[in-house]
Amino acid sequence: MRGGLVALVCFSGPACAGLFTEPDPDWKEGEYQVPAPLRDPALREIEVDSTSRNRVLIDENSLTVGGDGVVRYVMVARAGGGAENSTFEGIRCETREWRIYAAGRPGGQWANARDASWKPIVDSAYSRPRAVLANNYFCDGAVPPRDRDEVLRRLRGIDGGPLKPTP
């Protein structure tokens, strides 16, 4: 009975849009710009793990939805002890993959990532923030959001979502 219900929901709603399609074999990543150094970031915290003292924040100013279907953003990770790391990343909804383009350096500059390959989004401690972003804010199944404004509404909690502004 449950299988029939799943099929009914999938065929009747946008939640399953793109779920049963194969990724485009001719896909090419589009052009992108590494964002300016974080001077006055508009950070929004996402809850990744309620048991962790670490905080994960997304810079709204850096957020883009590319014509290639990649959602790009700057993520800032703040450890409970005060250490902070920032990365410029992308999530490709169609294939459930992510990659790091650049890492933040002291002084606000960016350094190209040593390993900028696409990796599968799995729910492990290291990639859990990407899984939360893909599942809750960036992707509708295998389909990226319509545009940047849609993602911002989700991040701000207008269309749901646990994000809140950070001090």
Side-chain angles (χ1 to χ4, degrees):
M1 181 69 174
R2 189 165 70 168
L5 179 59
V6 170
L8 179 62
V9 171
C10 274
F11 292 127
S12 66
C16 296
L19 187 61
F20 301 108
T21 60
E22 291 292 320
D24 180 0
D26 298 322
W27 179 82
K28 300 265 191 275
E29 186 165 15
E31 298 285 324
Y32 61 87
Q33 293 283 333
V34 175
L38 295 176
R39 298 211 192 292
D40 188 21
L43 296 176
R44 292 232 170 231
E45 184 171 2
I46 61 168
E47 185 172 330
V48 173
D49 183 351
S50 61
T51 62
S52 175
R53 292 183 42 214
N54 298 336
R55 298 172 63 201
V56 176
L57 307 108
I58 302 301
D59 177 26
E60 290 184 345
N61 294 335
S62 68
L63 187 68
T64 63
V65 178
D68 57 1
V70 178
V71 181
R72 294 180 180 87
Y73 57 94
V74 169
M75 181 169 64
V76 177
R78 290 183 179 157
E84 182 172 293
N85 291 312
S86 57
T87 50
F88 174 52
E89 304 185 359
I91 288 179
R92 184 173 176 217
C93 299
E94 182 181 28
T95 57
R96 306 278 306 160
E97 293 177 300
W98 68 280
R99 70 180 275 201
I100 295 177
Y101 297 99
R105 299 189 73 145
Q109 299 303 312
W110 294 103
N112 289 332
R114 289 186 185 136
D115 178 8
S117 63
W118 289 99
K119 297 168 185 57
I121 295 174
V122 294
D123 193 10
S124 67
Y126 179 67
S127 65
R128 185 162 296 128
R130 290 93 183 173
V132 168
L133 287 168
N135 294 336
N136 298 346
Y137 303 103
F138 291 173
C139 305
D140 294 322
V143 179
R146 287 184 303 272
D147 56 31
R148 180 179 188 275
D149 289 339
E150 181 180 345
V151 177
L152 289 174
R153 282 191 301 275
R154 292 175 185 179
L155 288 174
R156 293 172 180 164
I158 296 170
D159 290 341
L163 291 182
K164 53 191 176 289
T166 59

